[in-house]
């Protein structure tokens, strides 16, 4: 028994010396007779395959952990937390994509990349609502400075009106559009509609161009205001049309034309409605009261009216 242990020890030393002399060679312990006796052959590879195998195992382990991780329910805060997990560079890239639409450039595929967020649309809608309300009040203030006879009082209700209008538009219109595309998917199997959050994200980012446009509406030149509004509407609607076109082109021409026309029309109604409501001409109650009889010259007040002569 001791002789067998001593023989195994010598064989192990020989194998160690051989590995030290030729590390790049694939060797056995001392001779080919070791393998039948139950010894393990040692193979050394200088190509670094061990590191690649470890990386592959690590990636597989990570994927398994992600699959095993339970997804939170939609009623929990953790479910919505992922939609606000974006950095500044991603938000800026998506804003640039909404400001520079071009044919063949899909906003969802090139900018969202299957990762829609609610952070950008939420703050864009909030900013637009506050800018609309503030500029609507500033319009009356500037009009009062030009004409002191105008009576101005702050209109705080415009903040509520702007917020409800913008948020309802960004959520309800995409919901109706998503539902219609899902219904058409059952009719036309080749159609692949976007998810509801992707549709909301596209609508939210498409409204960013109206923020600087509303500020430019403070310029008291009507034709210039309408020009800025038309340019903003064209850029915003183009973002929606170029994004929806790859989906609706698989449908019939009539359905595609009606759907895109409805999208552009609703967008135009939002822009024109905001223009008329927040920047409308001054109502009569904000104007100075008309001249009373007491303000007329005395001669006009005291002049007798001519009487008919009697015969």
């Amino acid at each position: 028994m001791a002789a067998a242990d001593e023989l195994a020890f010598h064989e192990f030393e020989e194998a160690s010396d051989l590995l030290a002399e030729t590390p790049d060679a694939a060797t056995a312990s001392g001779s080919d007779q070791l393998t039948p006796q139950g010894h393990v052959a040692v193979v050394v590879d200088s190509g670094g395959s061990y590191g690649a195998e470890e990386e592959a195992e690590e990636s597989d382990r990570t994927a398994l952990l992600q699959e095993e991780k339970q997804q939170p329910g939609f009623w929990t805060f953790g479910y919505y937390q992922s939609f606000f997990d974006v950095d500044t560079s991603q938000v800026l890239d998506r804003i640039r994509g909404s400001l520079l639409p071009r044919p063949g450039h899909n906003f969802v595929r090139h900018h969202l990349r299957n990762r829609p967020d609610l952070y950008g649309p939420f703050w864009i809608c909030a900013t637009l609502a506050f800018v609309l309300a503030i500029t609507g009040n500033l319009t009356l203030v500037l009009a009062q400075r030009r004409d002191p006879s105008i009576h101005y009082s702050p209109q705080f209700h415009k903040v509520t009106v702007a917020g409800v209008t913008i948020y309802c538009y960004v959520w309800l219109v995409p919901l109706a559009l998503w539902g219609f595309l899902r219904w058409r998917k059952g009719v036309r199997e080749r159609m692949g509609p976007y998810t509801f959050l992707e549709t909301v994200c596209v609508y939210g980012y498409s409204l960013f161009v109206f923020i600087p446009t509303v500020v430019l509406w403070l310029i008291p030149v009507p034709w210039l205001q309408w020009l800025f509004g038309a340019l903003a509407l064209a850029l915003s609607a183009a973002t929606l049309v170029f994004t929806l076109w790859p989906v609706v082109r698989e449908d019939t021409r009539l359905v595609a034309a009606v759907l895109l026309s409805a999208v552009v029309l609703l967008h135009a109604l939002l822009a024109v409605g905001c223009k008329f409501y927040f920047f409308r001409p001054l109502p009569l109650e904000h104007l100075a009261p008309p001249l009373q009889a007491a303000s007329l010259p005395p001669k006009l007040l005291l002049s007798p009216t001519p009487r008919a002569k009697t015969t």
Side-chain angles (χ1 to χ4, degrees), residues 40 87 99 119 124 136 142 150 154 185 191 216 224 226 230 253 264:
V40 178
D87 52 21
L99 293 176
Y119 179 86
I124 288 174
L142 297 177
I150 297 175
K185 180 183 179 181
M191 293 182 60
L216 292 175
L224 197 58
W226 286 108
R253 292 185 178 181
V264 175

Side-chain angles (χ1 to χ4, degrees), residues 197-212:
L197 290 178
E198 287 176 341
T199 310
V200 172
C201 192
V202 173
Y203 265 82
Y205 279 103
S206 68
L207 295 180
F208 179 84
V209 68
F210 288 104
I211 296 177

Side-chain angles (χ1 to χ4, degrees), residues 37-216:
Q37 298 178 359
H39 293 279
V40 178
V42 180
V43 179
V44 179
D45 187 6
S46 62
S49 61
Y50 289 156
E53 291 178 357
E54 291 179 357
E55 292 179 358
E57 292 177 358
E58 185 68 23
S59 62
D60 294 341
R61 194 179 302 111
T62 304
L64 289 174
L65 290 176
Q66 290 179 354
E67 292 178 358
E68 293 177 357
K69 186 178 180 181
Q70 185 178 2
Q71 295 294 333
F74 69 92
W75 60 87
T76 61
F77 179 77
Y79 177 81
Y80 299 96
Q81 186 177 4
S82 61
F83 300 116
F84 290 85
D85 188 16
V86 290
D87 52 21
T88 305
S89 61
Q90 290 177 327
V91 175
L92 293 178
D93 177 70
R94 295 172 182 184
I95 290 176
R96 285 193 296 267
S98 66
L99 293 176
L100 300 173
R102 57 183 184 272
H105 190 80
N106 192 326
F107 184 84
V108 173
R109 300 294 178 240
H110 291 83
H111 297 282
L112 298 187
R113 297 186 180 92
N114 296 326
R115 290 192 59 189
D117 70 286
L118 296 179
Y119 179 86
F122 175 81
W123 286 111
I124 288 174
C125 294
T127 305
L128 181 58
F130 277 102
V131 170
L132 273 173
I134 292 173
T135 52
N137 281 271
L138 284 178
T139 301
L140 298 177
V141 173
L142 297 177
Q144 185 183 30
R145 295 189 64 178
R146 293 191 302 268
D147 187 359
S149 62
I150 297 175
H151 298 279
Y152 164 73
S153 60
Q155 300 178 348
F156 297 105
H157 67 280
K158 288 186 175 181
V159 179
T160 305
V161 174
V164 172
T165 302
I166 298 300
Y167 278 103
C168 287
Y169 177 80
V170 171
W171 282 95
L172 296 181
V173 174
L175 178 61
L177 179 62
W178 174 76
F180 179 80
L181 292 177
R182 293 284 297 180
W183 172 68
R184 294 299 299 177
K185 180 183 179 181
V187 179
R188 310 281 294 187
E189 295 182 356
R190 294 180 60 186
M191 293 182 60
Y194 304 124
T195 64
F196 172 65
L197 290 178
E198 287 176 341
T199 310
V200 172
C201 192
V202 173
Y203 265 82
Y205 279 103
S206 68
L207 295 180
F208 179 84
V209 68
F210 288 104
I211 296 177
T213 303
V214 169
V215 177
L216 292 175

